[in-house]
Structures are given as structure tokens and as C-alpha cells.
Amino acid sequence: MIADVEEMDRPIGQFLAFARAGEDMEAQPEDLHALVVDVIEQYQRRGVQVAKDLEAVGMLPINRPNLRRAITNLIDNALRYANGHEADTLEVALHRDGRHVVIEVRDRGPGIPATETERLLRPFTRLDAARSNTGGTGLGLAIVDRIAREHGGSVQLLPRPGGGVIARLSIPVQGR
């Protein structure tokens, strides 16, 4: 019964998050490494195996609740779409790349055609009918994209060498 309620509540939460993601909440200096570790530990407590490749990147002006939502959405997508495709190879990475801090969620799922990556960042968009049994609303990546832009950054969906997807969230070090 709890699982059923959580399943019914998830789409409502997605709709509300999409509606709120554009709200301009004030960014505060935060330790992004600590935030990413906290999110990963939340999944590990539920028995999800997550490999980590994390660097300390220092303090960064971020909207903590929104960025937490973005990371969670990327991990949820990876778990949902990698289901049955070596789901235990989920990896979360954090590193600095020049003037940007990069968060990557890497999976070994079926991948995304390069022609579809931009379209999937739009609200209510899903890849195809074959994925319709995944229970998503088509808002998760749109929320991530909106939060990335709120931070002056971007999100990319890239092919992972060896199969799967790298969802890359990039945020400028200088803030918005």
C-alpha cells in the first residue's frame, strides 16, 4: 500500500516541481560535494548501488533544494531506464571542468538516439511508446533543464562509451 501511494504521489510531485522550478529562489554558497554525497547516500540507504567518482569542488552559489531535485531526477531516470540493462552500473561523478562544475549521472541502459536528446528536455516528452510502462510523467528532464538554466548552466544527454547515457549537468563556477 505504501508503494502504491508513493507511485501515485510521484507524478503530483513532478507537476509541482515543474511549476515551482522557475521560481527565483535565492542562491546561497553551498558545498556541492556534500550535497551530491547526501543524495547518493539517500539511494544507498534504499539498497541502490551507486558508484561514485567525486571531487571536492569548493563552495558554489546554488539553490540547494532545486539542485537536489535535479540530481535526484537524473538518478531516478537512470534507474528507471536502465532497469534490466545492468542497472548496477549506475555512477555519479562530480568534477570541475575549467569554469564549470559538472555533475554526471552515468547508466548502462539502452541509450538515447542523438536526434532525440534535445526533444527530451521539453515538458511532457518521453522517448517512445516502448518506454511507456516506466511510470514517468515526461517532466523529469524538463525540470533538470529548467534548474540548470536557473543556475546559468546546461544539461546534456550524451552517449556513454560502452552503452548507456551520460546525463551531464554543468554549472558555471561564477554562479548565474
Side-chain angles (χ1 to χ4, degrees), residues 90-108:
L90 177 68
E91 183 177 337
V92 177
L94 171 67
H95 63 275
R96 190 164 175 167
D97 183 14
R99 293 181 155 162
H100 290 84
V101 170
V102 177
I103 301 165
E104 292 182 342
V105 176
R106 307 167 183 156
D107 69 49
R108 289 286 182 207

Side-chain angles (χ1 to χ4, degrees), residues 3 6 13 40 42 57 102 107 111 151 165 173-174:
E6 288 175 353
I40 291 170
Q42 164 191 321
V57 294
V102 177
D107 69 49
H151 287 85
V165 173
V173 173
Q174 299 303 318

Side-chain angles (χ1 to χ4, degrees), residues 77-175:
N77 271 3
L79 292 171
R80 182 177 297 123
Y81 295 116
N83 189 19
H85 294 88
E86 302 177 50
D88 61 336
T89 59
L90 177 68
E91 183 177 337
V92 177
L94 171 67
H95 63 275
R96 190 164 175 167
D97 183 14
R99 293 181 155 162
H100 290 84
V101 170
V102 177
I103 301 165
E104 292 182 342
V105 176
R106 307 167 183 156
D107 69 49
R108 289 286 182 207
I112 299 171
T115 58
E116 297 292 319
T117 57
E118 289 299 316
R119 185 179 72 83
L120 288 175
L121 298 177
R122 288 186 244 146
F124 307 108
T125 305
R126 294 169 60 176
L127 189 55
D128 59 33
R131 292 183 171 220
S132 63
N133 64 346
T134 61
T137 61
L139 285 173
L141 291 174
I143 291 168
V144 174
D145 183 54
R146 188 180 277 182
I147 292 169
R149 286 184 283 118
E150 167 190 301
H151 287 85
S154 62
V155 63
Q156 296 175 290
L157 303 172
L158 307 166
R160 184 176 183 187
V165 173
I166 298 172
R168 179 176 292 154
L169 175 60
S170 179
I171 302 169
V173 173
Q174 299 303 318

Side-chain angles (χ1 to χ4, degrees), residues 6-97:
E6 288 175 353
E7 186 175 327
M8 289 184 293
D9 190 47
R10 192 173 300 119
I12 294 167
Q14 289 283 330
F15 289 120
L16 292 173
F18 183 73
R20 284 192 300 253
E23 293 177 1
D24 191 21
M25 296 174 64
E26 189 173 331
Q28 299 290 328
E30 295 278 349
D31 180 353
L32 192 52
H33 180 271
L35 173 62
V36 173
V37 167
D38 186 48
V39 171
I40 291 170
E41 287 175 350
Q42 164 191 321
Y43 285 91
Q44 290 174 330
R45 283 190 296 271
R46 295 189 332 216
V48 176
Q49 293 183 353
V50 180
K52 300 180 280 191
D53 179 14
L54 309 177
E55 296 177 10
V57 294
M59 301 295 278
L60 190 69
I62 62 169
N63 177 314
R64 184 180 178 89
N66 284 359
L67 198 54
R68 179 184 193 83
R69 162 76 65 183
I71 297 165
T72 300
N73 283 2
L74 292 177
I75 293 172
D76 286 346
N77 271 3
L79 292 171
R80 182 177 297 123
Y81 295 116
N83 189 19
H85 294 88
E86 302 177 50
D88 61 336
T89 59
L90 177 68
E91 183 177 337
V92 177
L94 171 67
H95 63 275
R96 190 164 175 167
D97 183 14

